Amino acid sequence: MTPTPPTSAVFTAAVTLKPTQPEHFDLAFTATTQPCPWPKAYGGDLVAQAAAAAMRSVTDGKSPHSMHSYFLRPADIGAEVRYEVEVVRDGRGYSTRQVRGYQNGKPLYVCLAGFAAGEAGADFHAGFGEDVPAPEDLPSSAEYLAERDGGSMTEESKAYWSGGRGFDMRHVPGPVYLTVEGERLPHQAVWLKPFDPLRPVDGLTDAQRDLAALAYVCDYTILEPVLRVLDLPWARPGLVTASLDHAMWFHRPGPVDGWLLYVQEAVAADAGRGLGTGRFYTRDHRHLATVVQEGLIRPT
């Protein structure tokens, strides 16, 4: 039997929303969390689905400029989440939305999202170093894991890391799947791109879909610099991680159809929590978005 090639459809399936009757606020949608080999759904599902719900509630052309999220409870895998959108404010230049996700009758996610009409202004963005290897010179996750095993890794988790996340990811320095490759430095970079061209998503423009893609993929590796500096690979037996809160700023539009560089840094780790930052760049150094996330990190 020929293996199914990896596909970005896992992302577009995640952000395909179905309108439903609101129970608490102004608008409501349902979306389904995607398969993963852990006890709980992937946190990026919730961020991207909430971003899609918020964007579908803004009809005057404004674009997202920020999201600030809290993860309240774990989400069930392969189950519907109902997103309720509150229209907090609509102004000429800026709009605000609150989005709450509900599952099993309880809130599990909440965010505030800001939208901006945009205006003329000065332009600046921080760059990244010229010495980052090209993605073509780095192994894919599938190539890296092909002959490797160990720790708590199962065949299911190996397949998920290799091709189940919708995006090809290539680490600088090496990954932290089984061991911490390279020095225990508090920073890393990850080249990423969809496995195949992103499909249209009902209710979203292509530009909105691409913003949702950044919100989706950002959570996969944002805590890895913290794991790296603490010498905690993902397959360490007993390791537990979870997203606690998340903030994201969208600086400028850009297509998510080629390689992007996700530059990441560990900021702090203490009391069972770690804080990481990340910046998304196009290959020609355009800074698209910035992420900050705090997560639970429990080694045993």
Side-chain angles (χ1 to χ4, degrees):
M1 181 176 177
T2 303
T4 303
T7 172
S8 64
V10 63
F11 155 68
T12 48
V15 295
T16 298
L17 309 184
K18 181 172 65 176
T20 191
Q21 189 66 27
E23 297 178 10
H24 303 281
F25 296 123
D26 300 298
L27 298 167
F29 305 89
T30 60
T32 302
T33 57
Q34 298 302 292
C36 67
W38 325 123
K40 59 185 182 300
Y42 167 53
D45 278 1
L46 306 183
V47 179
Q49 290 167 354
M55 286 189 286
R56 288 183 63 166
S57 76
V58 177
T59 59
D60 60 0
K62 297 188 185 78
S63 297
H65 70 82
S66 67
M67 288 183 68
H68 298 265
S69 307
Y70 281 90
F71 301 87
L72 309 179
R73 292 179 174 88
D76 294 337
I77 298 169
E80 276 194 348
V81 179
R82 190 179 79 257
Y83 293 92
E84 298 257 354
V85 183
E86 179 184 11
V87 179
V88 179
R89 177 180 181 269
D90 275 322
R92 286 186 298 175
Y94 292 88
S95 293
T96 306
R97 299 291 187 264
Q98 180 186 197
V99 184
R100 290 191 186 182
Y102 296 85
Q103 194 177 72
N104 302 319
K106 297 179 179 179
L108 53 76
Y109 170 89
V110 62
C111 83
L112 281 174
F115 292 78
E119 57 189 89
D123 180 69
F124 167 80
H125 61 85
F128 64 85
E130 299 288 345
D131 57 347
V132 179
E136 295 85 0
D137 297 331
L138 299 168
S140 67
S141 296
E143 291 167 339
Y144 176 84
L145 290 168
E147 303 299 328
R148 289 178 168 89
D149 292 285
S152 63
M153 185 175 67
T154 63
E155 287 303 311
E156 188 181 13
S157 61
K158 187 175 182 178
Y160 184 72
W161 282 329
S162 296
R165 300 184 291 184
F167 287 76
D168 188 347
M169 300 185 192
R170 307 188 179 197
H171 286 70
V172 183
V176 295
Y177 297 130
L178 301 172
T179 61
V180 173
E181 294 283 320
E183 297 181 63
R184 288 175 53 181
L185 299 173
H187 53 78
Q188 68 173 23
V190 181
W191 285 106
L192 55 91
K193 74 170 181 177
F195 281 120
D196 53 9
L198 295 181
R199 294 149 180 79
V201 175
D202 288 345
L204 299 180
T205 66
D206 287 353
Q208 290 173 327
R209 177 205 60 200
D210 288 357
L211 287 173
L214 295 181
Y216 172 84
V217 77
C218 72
D219 191 25
Y220 277 124
T221 57
I222 187 62
L223 292 180
E224 286 187 351
V226 183
L227 298 181
R228 186 179 295 278
V229 77
L230 297 178
D231 197 24
L232 294 173
W234 286 115
R236 173 171 172 154
L239 176 66
V240 176
T241 65
S243 302
L244 296 174
D245 59 277
H246 175 282
M248 191 165 190
W249 293 265
F250 303 95
H251 307 304
R252 49 185 59 82
V256 185
D257 56 0
W259 287 108
L260 298 178
L261 187 67
Y262 193 13
V263 179
Q264 303 165 334
E265 184 173 3
V267 176
D270 192 25
R273 301 187 308 277
L275 185 72
T277 66
R279 303 191 303 275
F280 282 102
Y281 293 92
T282 61
R283 201 160 184 175
D284 60 357
H285 293 217
R286 284 173 52 81
H287 182 190
L288 301 184
T290 299
V291 184
V292 179
Q293 181 162 308
E294 186 179 46
L296 169 74
I297 299 178
R298 187 176 292 155
T300 58

